[in-house]
Amino acid sequence: MSPEPSVSELRRLIHPHTGDLADVRRTERGFSSNLTALVTCENGPFFIKVVRNRPGGRRDSIVRERLINPTVLLLSPALRWHAEDDAWIALGFDAVDGRSSDFAPNSPDLPAVVAILSRIGDVDLPEVARNWPESRWDRFALDEREAALFQGDALLHTDINPSNLMIGTADTWAVDWSWPTRGAGFIDPACLVVQLVAAGHSAGSAESWASECTAWVKADPAAVDAFAAATLRMYRTFADRKPDASWLRAMVEAAELWTSHRGVTA
């Protein structure tokens, strides 16, 4: 079975929304999509995401991304259409002129990065997300009491990385809302901390950037400690499963530095 739609399948699926296609330029796709591409077309351009229309995580993910878009329109490119047939589901977004952000120390992008995270933290939880409780870190917590610290009523992006926080000439966007959830507001800034450490920051420097976010400042330090330890356990588990994935080893090292900085044992 092909991992992505053929050209003829893609044209048939999206033509009612795009009109005639001039060009389909594939982009690097994440784990949640079978195809991502910039489409130049009669009615576009559009950025498209396509997944197989069959039960499972990828289909659930793209449905969530469609449902959350109206809530995050001030933060993310607008969803203009969606298409579905027996084989595939596609989303068509405004194509924006931007690039991945730079998380390195002294990067000029860092103020914009923490600003967009703060804006995410200011979004009221929509009704559609109330049944999307965050649970991915729960099994890496020591017990149910610790896992309960990760719960809350904040809208979370949860996939904070340079590719998903895009920098434009005048705007910043949080893209790829593949798995929005409801949870403790400090989780997105905490995810940023690990990413910043992986990019070369000291843990103290990374936390100082996170402190620009209100949810981080208000967080119970014990909850952050528990989350840091759970994050390290999570990345260790994933890295053990995929020993050749260098990015997972880097995330383990970053999480180890973070937990050490906080005096947490995982």
Side-chain angles (χ1 to χ4, degrees):
M1 185 177 292
S2 173
E4 64 180 49
S6 66
V7 173
S8 60
E9 286 179 312
L10 182 65
R11 288 180 183 274
R12 186 166 56 250
L13 176 68
I14 69 176
H15 185 271
H17 305 282
T18 63
D20 292 340
L21 301 183
D23 183 51
V24 177
R25 180 160 58 90
R26 287 166 175 76
T27 62
E28 183 178 352
R29 64 180 175 88
F31 298 115
S32 61
S33 302
N34 291 89
L35 170 69
T36 60
L38 288 169
V39 175
T40 305
C41 56
E42 185 179 355
N43 301 329
F46 298 108
F47 173 77
I48 65 168
K49 299 180 72 170
V50 185
V51 303
R52 284 208 167 273
N53 190 4
R54 61 187 181 192
R58 287 186 173 182
R59 188 186 192 284
D60 293 346
S61 173
I62 207 167
V63 169
R64 283 200 187 192
E65 188 162 7
R66 174 175 63 82
L67 293 174
I68 203 63
N69 188 259
T71 299
V72 296
L73 279 179
L74 296 180
L75 309 169
S76 181
L79 176 66
R80 295 303 180 186
W81 49 265
H82 69 276
E84 180 174 349
D85 61 19
D86 290 340
W88 302 99
I89 300 178
L91 302 182
F93 297 89
D94 282 343
V96 297
D97 186 10
R99 57 171 175 78
S100 297
S101 53
D102 181 357
F103 281 11
N106 301 316
S107 166
D109 295 346
L110 294 175
V113 165
V114 295
I116 194 73
L117 250 67
S118 292
R119 291 172 61 198
I120 293 173
D122 289 339
V123 175
D124 291 334
L125 183 73
E127 192 62 32
V128 70
R130 291 204 172 273
N131 292 326
W132 300 342
E134 181 51 62
S135 62
R136 280 163 291 182
W137 283 267
D138 289 5
R139 66 190 176 100
F140 301 105
L142 283 180
D143 50 36
E144 292 182 0
R145 180 192 60 81
E146 279 198 355
L149 298 174
F150 309 154
Q151 299 307 304
D153 286 324
L155 175 65
L156 302 175
H157 182 287
T158 71
D159 192 10
I160 304 301
N161 64 64
S163 296
N164 287 344
L165 301 180
M166 294 182 62
I167 306 293
T169 303
D171 293 299
T172 307
W173 300 275
V175 302
D176 198 9
W177 286 81
S178 296
W179 207 252
T181 55
R182 171 180 61 81
F186 72 83
I187 288 179
D188 276 349
C191 291
L192 175 66
V193 168
V194 185
Q195 289 283 335
L196 291 179
V197 174
H201 291 254
S202 69
S205 169
E207 288 196 345
S208 71
W209 282 107
S211 69
E212 299 291 323
C213 300
T214 301
W216 176 269
V217 175
K218 291 183 176 180
D220 179 355
V224 179
D225 288 346
F227 186 81
T231 297
L232 176 52
R233 296 185 195 104
M234 179 182 71
Y235 280 124
R236 280 176 173 168
T237 299
F238 293 166
D240 286 346
R241 291 175 183 170
K242 298 181 178 181
D244 295 331
S246 59
W247 74 272
L248 283 172
R249 293 198 304 273
M251 296 310 296
V252 170
E253 293 172 4
E256 287 175 340
L257 289 170
W258 185 29
T259 53
S260 177
H261 170 75
R262 296 192 66 85
V264 175
T265 301

mmCIF file of all heavy atoms in Angstrom, residues 55-96:
data_model
loop_
_atom_site.group_PDB
_atom_site.id
_atom_site.type_symbol
_atom_site.label_atom_id
_atom_site.label_comp_id
_atom_site.label_asym_id
_atom_site.label_seq_id
_atom_site.Cartn_x
_atom_site.Cartn_y
_atom_site.Cartn_z
ATOM 1 N N PRO A 55 -9.373 4.152 10.439
ATOM 2 C CA PRO A 55 -9.334 4.379 11.887
ATOM 3 C C PRO A 55 -7.912 4.341 12.425
ATOM 4 O O PRO A 55 -7.082 3.550 11.974
ATOM 5 C CB PRO A 55 -10.180 3.230 12.438
ATOM 6 C CG PRO A 55 -11.074 2.829 11.316
ATOM 7 C CD PRO A 55 -10.270 3.035 10.075
ATOM 8 N N GLY A 56 -7.660 5.205 13.397
ATOM 9 C CA GLY A 56 -6.336 5.214 14.012
ATOM 10 C C GLY A 56 -5.859 6.615 14.314
ATOM 11 O O GLY A 56 -6.567 7.605 14.111
ATOM 12 N N GLY A 57 -4.627 6.695 14.797
ATOM 13 C CA GLY A 57 -4.082 7.944 15.289
ATOM 14 C C GLY A 57 -3.986 9.046 14.260
ATOM 15 O O GLY A 57 -4.278 10.201 14.547
ATOM 16 N N ARG A 58 -3.559 8.709 13.027
ATOM 17 C CA ARG A 58 -3.395 9.762 12.029
ATOM 18 C C ARG A 58 -4.734 10.374 11.631
ATOM 19 O O ARG A 58 -4.850 11.589 11.488
ATOM 20 C CB ARG A 58 -2.670 9.218 10.797
ATOM 21 C CG ARG A 58 -1.189 8.979 11.037
ATOM 22 C CD ARG A 58 -0.458 8.593 9.777
ATOM 23 N NE ARG A 58 0.981 8.541 10.001
ATOM 24 C CZ ARG A 58 1.877 8.263 9.059
ATOM 25 N NH1 ARG A 58 1.469 8.013 7.830
ATOM 26 N NH2 ARG A 58 3.161 8.235 9.341
ATOM 27 N N ARG A 59 -5.738 9.548 11.468
ATOM 28 C CA ARG A 59 -7.055 10.085 11.133
ATOM 29 C C ARG A 59 -7.595 10.923 12.291
ATOM 30 O O ARG A 59 -8.101 12.030 12.092
ATOM 31 C CB ARG A 59 -8.042 8.968 10.808
ATOM 32 C CG ARG A 59 -9.367 9.500 10.278
ATOM 33 C CD ARG A 59 -10.407 8.412 10.093
ATOM 34 N NE ARG A 59 -11.550 8.915 9.338
ATOM 35 C CZ ARG A 59 -12.486 9.705 9.855
ATOM 36 N NH1 ARG A 59 -12.430 10.074 11.123
ATOM 37 N NH2 ARG A 59 -13.479 10.126 9.080
ATOM 38 N N ASP A 60 -7.469 10.412 13.513
ATOM 39 C CA ASP A 60 -7.922 11.176 14.677
ATOM 40 C C ASP A 60 -7.191 12.503 14.777
ATOM 41 O O ASP A 60 -7.774 13.536 15.118
ATOM 42 C CB ASP A 60 -7.687 10.368 15.959
ATOM 43 C CG ASP A 60 -8.557 9.125 16.039
ATOM 44 O OD1 ASP A 60 -9.523 9.020 15.257
ATOM 45 O OD2 ASP A 60 -8.261 8.258 16.880
ATOM 46 N N SER A 61 -5.908 12.485 14.460
ATOM 47 C CA SER A 61 -5.093 13.689 14.555
ATOM 48 C C SER A 61 -5.549 14.764 13.570
ATOM 49 O O SER A 61 -5.696 15.933 13.929
ATOM 50 C CB SER A 61 -3.625 13.334 14.306
ATOM 51 O OG SER A 61 -2.832 14.487 14.229
ATOM 52 N N ILE A 62 -5.782 14.360 12.314
ATOM 53 C CA ILE A 62 -6.153 15.369 11.317
ATOM 54 C C ILE A 62 -7.563 15.901 11.579
ATOM 55 O O ILE A 62 -7.867 17.065 11.302
ATOM 56 C CB ILE A 62 -6.005 14.813 9.881
ATOM 57 C CG1 ILE A 62 -5.740 15.970 8.910
ATOM 58 C CG2 ILE A 62 -7.218 14.000 9.449
ATOM 59 C CD1 ILE A 62 -5.261 15.544 7.538
ATOM 60 N N VAL A 63 -8.428 15.075 12.169
ATOM 61 C CA VAL A 63 -9.760 15.550 12.553
ATOM 62 C C VAL A 63 -9.633 16.596 13.662
ATOM 63 O O VAL A 63 -10.292 17.642 13.629
ATOM 64 C CB VAL A 63 -10.649 14.377 12.991
ATOM 65 C CG1 VAL A 63 -11.927 14.889 13.652
ATOM 66 C CG2 VAL A 63 -10.995 13.501 11.795
ATOM 67 N N ARG A 64 -8.764 16.332 14.638
ATOM 68 C CA ARG A 64 -8.557 17.330 15.696
ATOM 69 C C ARG A 64 -8.007 18.639 15.122
ATOM 70 O O ARG A 64 -8.418 19.724 15.525
ATOM 71 C CB ARG A 64 -7.588 16.793 16.755
ATOM 72 C CG ARG A 64 -8.186 15.796 17.704
ATOM 73 C CD ARG A 64 -7.367 15.668 18.973
ATOM 74 N NE ARG A 64 -7.851 14.587 19.807
ATOM 75 C CZ ARG A 64 -7.481 14.389 21.056
ATOM 76 N NH1 ARG A 64 -6.600 15.205 21.623
ATOM 77 N NH2 ARG A 64 -7.971 13.381 21.766
ATOM 78 N N GLU A 65 -7.074 18.517 14.199
ATOM 79 C CA GLU A 65 -6.489 19.727 13.628
ATOM 80 C C GLU A 65 -7.543 20.549 12.894
ATOM 81 O O GLU A 65 -7.539 21.781 12.952
ATOM 82 C CB GLU A 65 -5.333 19.362 12.690
ATOM 83 C CG GLU A 65 -4.552 20.565 12.221
ATOM 84 C CD GLU A 65 -3.190 20.222 11.665
ATOM 85 O OE1 GLU A 65 -2.877 19.023 11.506
ATOM 86 O OE2 GLU A 65 -2.428 21.168 11.387
ATOM 87 N N ARG A 66 -8.452 19.874 12.220
ATOM 88 C CA ARG A 66 -9.543 20.588 11.549
ATOM 89 C C ARG A 66 -10.457 21.265 12.560
ATOM 90 O O ARG A 66 -10.839 22.423 12.387
ATOM 91 C CB ARG A 66 -10.339 19.612 10.679
ATOM 92 C CG ARG A 66 -11.590 20.235 10.054
ATOM 93 C CD ARG A 66 -12.273 19.272 9.103
ATOM 94 N NE ARG A 66 -12.778 18.076 9.733
ATOM 95 C CZ ARG A 66 -13.941 17.999 10.372
ATOM 96 N NH1 ARG A 66 -14.720 19.074 10.493
ATOM 97 N NH2 ARG A 66 -14.347 16.858 10.904
ATOM 98 N N LEU A 67 -10.779 20.566 13.631
ATOM 99 C CA LEU A 67 -11.726 21.099 14.605
ATOM 100 C C LEU A 67 -11.150 22.249 15.430
ATOM 101 O O LEU A 67 -11.884 23.148 15.843
ATOM 102 C CB LEU A 67 -12.190 19.975 15.540
ATOM 103 C CG LEU A 67 -13.031 18.873 14.906
ATOM 104 C CD1 LEU A 67 -13.303 17.764 15.906
ATOM 105 C CD2 LEU A 67 -14.340 19.430 14.355
ATOM 106 N N ILE A 68 -9.839 22.238 15.679
ATOM 107 C CA ILE A 68 -9.255 23.266 16.539
ATOM 108 C C ILE A 68 -8.938 24.541 15.768
ATOM 109 O O ILE A 68 -8.778 25.611 16.363
ATOM 110 C CB ILE A 68 -7.976 22.739 17.235
ATOM 111 C CG1 ILE A 68 -7.692 23.548 18.519
ATOM 112 C CG2 ILE A 68 -6.766 22.799 16.315
ATOM 113 C CD1 ILE A 68 -8.747 23.458 19.580
ATOM 114 N N ASN A 69 -8.875 24.478 14.442
ATOM 115 C CA ASN A 69 -8.408 25.638 13.679
ATOM 116 C C ASN A 69 -9.199 26.919 13.942
ATOM 117 O O ASN A 69 -8.585 27.989 14.092
ATOM 118 C CB ASN A 69 -8.368 25.327 12.191
ATOM 119 C CG ASN A 69 -7.712 26.432 11.385
ATOM 120 O OD1 ASN A 69 -8.388 27.239 10.755
ATOM 121 N ND2 ASN A 69 -6.395 26.488 11.431
ATOM 122 N N PRO A 70 -10.526 26.881 14.033
ATOM 123 C CA PRO A 70 -11.238 28.138 14.298
ATOM 124 C C PRO A 70 -10.831 28.799 15.611
ATOM 125 O O PRO A 70 -10.886 30.026 15.730
ATOM 126 C CB PRO A 70 -12.713 27.698 14.336
ATOM 127 C CG PRO A 70 -12.764 26.469 13.505
ATOM 128 C CD PRO A 70 -11.471 25.762 13.780
ATOM 129 N N THR A 71 -10.390 28.007 16.583
ATOM 130 C CA THR A 71 -9.983 28.560 17.879
ATOM 131 C C THR A 71 -8.629 29.242 17.807
ATOM 132 O O THR A 71 -8.363 30.174 18.563
ATOM 133 C CB THR A 71 -9.943 27.429 18.933
ATOM 134 O OG1 THR A 71 -11.247 26.860 19.053
ATOM 135 C CG2 THR A 71 -9.488 27.940 20.289
ATOM 136 N N VAL A 72 -7.763 28.798 16.901
ATOM 137 C CA VAL A 72 -6.383 29.296 16.882
ATOM 138 C C VAL A 72 -6.089 30.121 15.629
ATOM 139 O O VAL A 72 -4.930 30.244 15.214
ATOM 140 C CB VAL A 72 -5.383 28.123 17.018
ATOM 141 C CG1 VAL A 72 -5.557 27.449 18.371
ATOM 142 C CG2 VAL A 72 -5.525 27.101 15.895
ATOM 143 N N LEU A 73 -7.120 30.724 15.055
ATOM 144 C CA LEU A 73 -6.936 31.484 13.818
ATOM 145 C C LEU A 73 -5.971 32.654 13.971
ATOM 146 O O LEU A 73 -5.322 33.053 13.002
ATOM 147 C CB LEU A 73 -8.289 32.000 13.313
ATOM 148 C CG LEU A 73 -9.142 30.997 12.543
ATOM 149 C CD1 LEU A 73 -10.462 31.643 12.139
ATOM 150 C CD2 LEU A 73 -8.404 30.484 11.312
ATOM 151 N N LEU A 74 -5.881 33.236 15.172
ATOM 152 C CA LEU A 74 -4.967 34.358 15.375
ATOM 153 C C LEU A 74 -3.524 33.892 15.564
ATOM 154 O O LEU A 74 -2.610 34.714 15.614
ATOM 155 C CB LEU A 74 -5.402 35.181 16.578
ATOM 156 C CG LEU A 74 -6.767 35.875 16.457
ATOM 157 C CD1 LEU A 74 -7.084 36.650 17.723
ATOM 158 C CD2 LEU A 74 -6.799 36.791 15.234
ATOM 159 N N LEU A 75 -3.326 32.574 15.652
ATOM 160 C CA LEU A 75 -1.998 32.019 15.913
ATOM 161 C C LEU A 75 -1.487 31.155 14.777
ATOM 162 O O LEU A 75 -0.291 30.872 14.704
ATOM 163 C CB LEU A 75 -2.033 31.143 17.176
ATOM 164 C CG LEU A 75 -2.631 31.732 18.441
ATOM 165 C CD1 LEU A 75 -2.819 30.639 19.482
ATOM 166 C CD2 LEU A 75 -1.730 32.818 18.972
ATOM 167 N N SER A 76 -2.389 30.703 13.920
ATOM 168 C CA SER A 76 -2.063 29.657 12.963
ATOM 169 C C SER A 76 -2.679 29.987 11.607
ATOM 170 O O SER A 76 -3.698 30.684 11.540
ATOM 171 C CB SER A 76 -2.624 28.322 13.487
ATOM 172 O OG SER A 76 -2.334 27.268 12.617
ATOM 173 N N PRO A 77 -2.092 29.507 10.506
ATOM 174 C CA PRO A 77 -2.718 29.710 9.200
ATOM 175 C C PRO A 77 -4.137 29.164 9.173
ATOM 176 O O PRO A 77 -4.446 28.136 9.784
ATOM 177 C CB PRO A 77 -1.806 28.933 8.251
ATOM 178 C CG PRO A 77 -0.472 28.906 8.940
ATOM 179 C CD PRO A 77 -0.787 28.808 10.397
ATOM 180 N N ALA A 78 -5.010 29.863 8.470
ATOM 181 C CA ALA A 78 -6.421 29.483 8.422
ATOM 182 C C ALA A 78 -6.618 28.239 7.564
ATOM 183 O O ALA A 78 -6.018 28.084 6.498
ATOM 184 C CB ALA A 78 -7.248 30.628 7.856
ATOM 185 N N LEU A 79 -7.486 27.365 8.043
ATOM 186 C CA LEU A 79 -7.920 26.212 7.255
ATOM 187 C C LEU A 79 -9.008 26.679 6.302
ATOM 188 O O LEU A 79 -10.049 27.186 6.729
ATOM 189 C CB LEU A 79 -8.462 25.114 8.173
ATOM 190 C CG LEU A 79 -9.039 23.878 7.474
ATOM 191 C CD1 LEU A 79 -7.950 23.122 6.735
ATOM 192 C CD2 LEU A 79 -9.753 22.981 8.483
ATOM 193 N N ARG A 80 -8.796 26.520 5.003
ATOM 194 C CA ARG A 80 -9.733 27.011 3.997
ATOM 195 C C ARG A 80 -10.699 25.932 3.506
ATOM 196 O O ARG A 80 -11.800 26.248 3.070
ATOM 197 C CB ARG A 80 -8.969 27.592 2.812
ATOM 198 C CG ARG A 80 -8.150 28.821 3.153
ATOM 199 C CD ARG A 80 -9.029 29.908 3.738
ATOM 200 N NE ARG A 80 -8.267 31.118 4.075
ATOM 201 C CZ ARG A 80 -8.772 32.162 4.708
ATOM 202 N NH1 ARG A 80 -10.038 32.139 5.082
ATOM 203 N NH2 ARG A 80 -8.034 33.204 4.969
ATOM 204 N N TRP A 81 -10.289 24.675 3.559
ATOM 205 C CA TRP A 81 -11.166 23.595 3.097
ATOM 206 C C TRP A 81 -10.645 22.265 3.607
ATOM 207 O O TRP A 81 -9.499 22.145 4.034
ATOM 208 C CB TRP A 81 -11.254 23.568 1.565
ATOM 209 C CG TRP A 81 -9.933 23.612 0.842
ATOM 210 C CD1 TRP A 81 -9.288 24.710 0.332
ATOM 211 C CD2 TRP A 81 -9.076 22.489 0.561
ATOM 212 N NE1 TRP A 81 -8.103 24.348 -0.241
ATOM 213 C CE2 TRP A 81 -7.939 22.991 -0.119
ATOM 214 C CE3 TRP A 81 -9.146 21.127 0.810
ATOM 215 C CZ2 TRP A 81 -6.900 22.179 -0.551
ATOM 216 C CZ3 TRP A 81 -8.104 20.298 0.388
ATOM 217 C CH2 TRP A 81 -7.014 20.837 -0.290
ATOM 218 N N HIS A 82 -11.510 21.274 3.584
ATOM 219 C CA HIS A 82 -11.069 19.906 3.814
ATOM 220 C C HIS A 82 -11.800 18.999 2.838
ATOM 221 O O HIS A 82 -12.911 19.299 2.393
ATOM 222 C CB HIS A 82 -11.279 19.462 5.269
ATOM 223 C CG HIS A 82 -12.700 19.282 5.671
ATOM 224 N ND1 HIS A 82 -13.499 20.332 6.086
ATOM 225 C CD2 HIS A 82 -13.471 18.170 5.734
ATOM 226 C CE1 HIS A 82 -14.699 19.880 6.399
ATOM 227 N NE2 HIS A 82 -14.721 18.571 6.196
ATOM 228 N N ALA A 83 -11.148 17.919 2.478
ATOM 229 C CA ALA A 83 -11.682 16.989 1.483
ATOM 230 C C ALA A 83 -11.505 15.568 1.991
ATOM 231 O O ALA A 83 -10.546 15.266 2.711
ATOM 232 C CB ALA A 83 -10.960 17.171 0.146
ATOM 233 N N GLU A 84 -12.404 14.702 1.586
ATOM 234 C CA GLU A 84 -12.365 13.332 2.083
ATOM 235 C C GLU A 84 -12.975 12.394 1.046
ATOM 236 O O GLU A 84 -13.989 12.712 0.421
ATOM 237 C CB GLU A 84 -13.149 13.253 3.397
ATOM 238 C CG GLU A 84 -13.203 11.889 4.039
ATOM 239 C CD GLU A 84 -13.865 11.929 5.409
ATOM 240 O OE1 GLU A 84 -14.092 13.037 5.949
ATOM 241 O OE2 GLU A 84 -14.166 10.827 5.940
ATOM 242 N N ASP A 85 -12.339 11.259 0.828
ATOM 243 C CA ASP A 85 -12.946 10.173 0.062
ATOM 244 C C ASP A 85 -12.692 8.877 0.808
ATOM 245 O O ASP A 85 -12.268 8.899 1.971
ATOM 246 C CB ASP A 85 -12.427 10.140 -1.381
ATOM 247 C CG ASP A 85 -10.932 9.909 -1.496
ATOM 248 O OD1 ASP A 85 -10.326 9.418 -0.509
ATOM 249 O OD2 ASP A 85 -10.360 10.189 -2.562
ATOM 250 N N ASP A 86 -12.943 7.748 0.184
ATOM 251 C CA ASP A 86 -12.802 6.480 0.891
ATOM 252 C C ASP A 86 -11.359 6.183 1.283
ATOM 253 O O ASP A 86 -11.116 5.433 2.241
ATOM 254 C CB ASP A 86 -13.333 5.334 0.034
ATOM 255 C CG ASP A 86 -14.845 5.371 -0.112
ATOM 256 O OD1 ASP A 86 -15.498 6.031 0.724
ATOM 257 O OD2 ASP A 86 -15.370 4.746 -1.069
ATOM 258 N N ALA A 87 -10.421 6.771 0.572
ATOM 259 C CA ALA A 87 -9.011 6.437 0.799
ATOM 260 C C ALA A 87 -8.249 7.489 1.596
ATOM 261 O O ALA A 87 -7.355 7.147 2.390
ATOM 262 C CB ALA A 87 -8.313 6.212 -0.539
ATOM 263 N N TRP A 88 -8.579 8.786 1.409
ATOM 264 C CA TRP A 88 -7.738 9.849 1.945
ATOM 265 C C TRP A 88 -8.570 10.967 2.564
ATOM 266 O O TRP A 88 -9.720 11.179 2.190
ATOM 267 C CB TRP A 88 -6.859 10.446 0.839
ATOM 268 C CG TRP A 88 -5.977 9.457 0.166
ATOM 269 C CD1 TRP A 88 -6.197 8.834 -1.025
ATOM 270 C CD2 TRP A 88 -4.740 8.947 0.660
ATOM 271 N NE1 TRP A 88 -5.180 7.967 -1.317
ATOM 272 C CE2 TRP A 88 -4.260 8.017 -0.297
ATOM 273 C CE3 TRP A 88 -3.969 9.190 1.808
ATOM 274 C CZ2 TRP A 88 -3.057 7.334 -0.137
ATOM 275 C CZ3 TRP A 88 -2.776 8.511 1.975
ATOM 276 C CH2 TRP A 88 -2.332 7.591 1.013
ATOM 277 N N ILE A 89 -7.943 11.718 3.488
ATOM 278 C CA ILE A 89 -8.484 12.965 4.029
ATOM 279 C C ILE A 89 -7.418 14.037 3.848
ATOM 280 O O ILE A 89 -6.232 13.798 4.130
ATOM 281 C CB ILE A 89 -8.841 12.852 5.523
ATOM 282 C CG1 ILE A 89 -9.884 11.777 5.770
ATOM 283 C CG2 ILE A 89 -9.342 14.191 6.060
ATOM 284 C CD1 ILE A 89 -10.218 11.599 7.240
ATOM 285 N N ALA A 90 -7.834 15.218 3.384
ATOM 286 C CA ALA A 90 -6.894 16.319 3.162
ATOM 287 C C ALA A 90 -7.394 17.604 3.822
ATOM 288 O O ALA A 90 -8.602 17.866 3.848
ATOM 289 C CB ALA A 90 -6.691 16.559 1.668
ATOM 290 N N LEU A 91 -6.455 18.387 4.327
ATOM 291 C CA LEU A 91 -6.729 19.730 4.825
ATOM 292 C C LEU A 91 -5.976 20.724 3.965
ATOM 293 O O LEU A 91 -4.811 20.490 3.616
ATOM 294 C CB LEU A 91 -6.273 19.892 6.282
ATOM 295 C CG LEU A 91 -6.855 18.937 7.327
ATOM 296 C CD1 LEU A 91 -6.315 19.298 8.709
ATOM 297 C CD2 LEU A 91 -8.367 18.979 7.326
ATOM 298 N N GLY A 92 -6.621 21.843 3.638
ATOM 299 C CA GLY A 92 -5.981 22.885 2.842
ATOM 300 C C GLY A 92 -5.911 24.186 3.618
ATOM 301 O O GLY A 92 -6.940 24.783 3.932
ATOM 302 N N PHE A 93 -4.692 24.625 3.944
ATOM 303 C CA PHE A 93 -4.458 25.831 4.737
ATOM 304 C C PHE A 93 -3.923 26.962 3.860
ATOM 305 O O PHE A 93 -3.328 26.718 2.808
ATOM 306 C CB PHE A 93 -3.409 25.564 5.823
ATOM 307 C CG PHE A 93 -3.793 24.545 6.858
ATOM 308 C CD1 PHE A 93 -3.510 23.200 6.667
ATOM 309 C CD2 PHE A 93 -4.426 24.932 8.029
ATOM 310 C CE1 PHE A 93 -3.847 22.262 7.624
ATOM 311 C CE2 PHE A 93 -4.770 24.009 8.989
ATOM 312 C CZ PHE A 93 -4.482 22.671 8.787
ATOM 313 N N ASP A 94 -4.098 28.193 4.340
ATOM 314 C CA ASP A 94 -3.394 29.309 3.729
ATOM 315 C C ASP A 94 -1.900 29.009 3.719
ATOM 316 O O ASP A 94 -1.333 28.561 4.730
ATOM 317 C CB ASP A 94 -3.619 30.599 4.525
ATOM 318 C CG ASP A 94 -4.965 31.232 4.260
ATOM 319 O OD1 ASP A 94 -5.602 30.890 3.248
ATOM 320 O OD2 ASP A 94 -5.386 32.082 5.083
ATOM 321 N N ALA A 95 -1.251 29.249 2.611
ATOM 322 C CA ALA A 95 0.204 29.125 2.544
ATOM 323 C C ALA A 95 0.812 30.420 3.066
ATOM 324 O O ALA A 95 0.478 31.508 2.584
ATOM 325 C CB ALA A 95 0.651 28.869 1.110
ATOM 326 N N VAL A 96 1.673 30.326 4.075
ATOM 327 C CA VAL A 96 2.279 31.514 4.665
ATOM 328 C C VAL A 96 3.757 31.558 4.321
ATOM 329 O O VAL A 96 4.398 30.526 4.114
ATOM 330 C CB VAL A 96 2.075 31.547 6.194
ATOM 331 C CG1 VAL A 96 0.594 31.641 6.533
ATOM 332 C CG2 VAL A 96 2.700 30.342 6.874
#
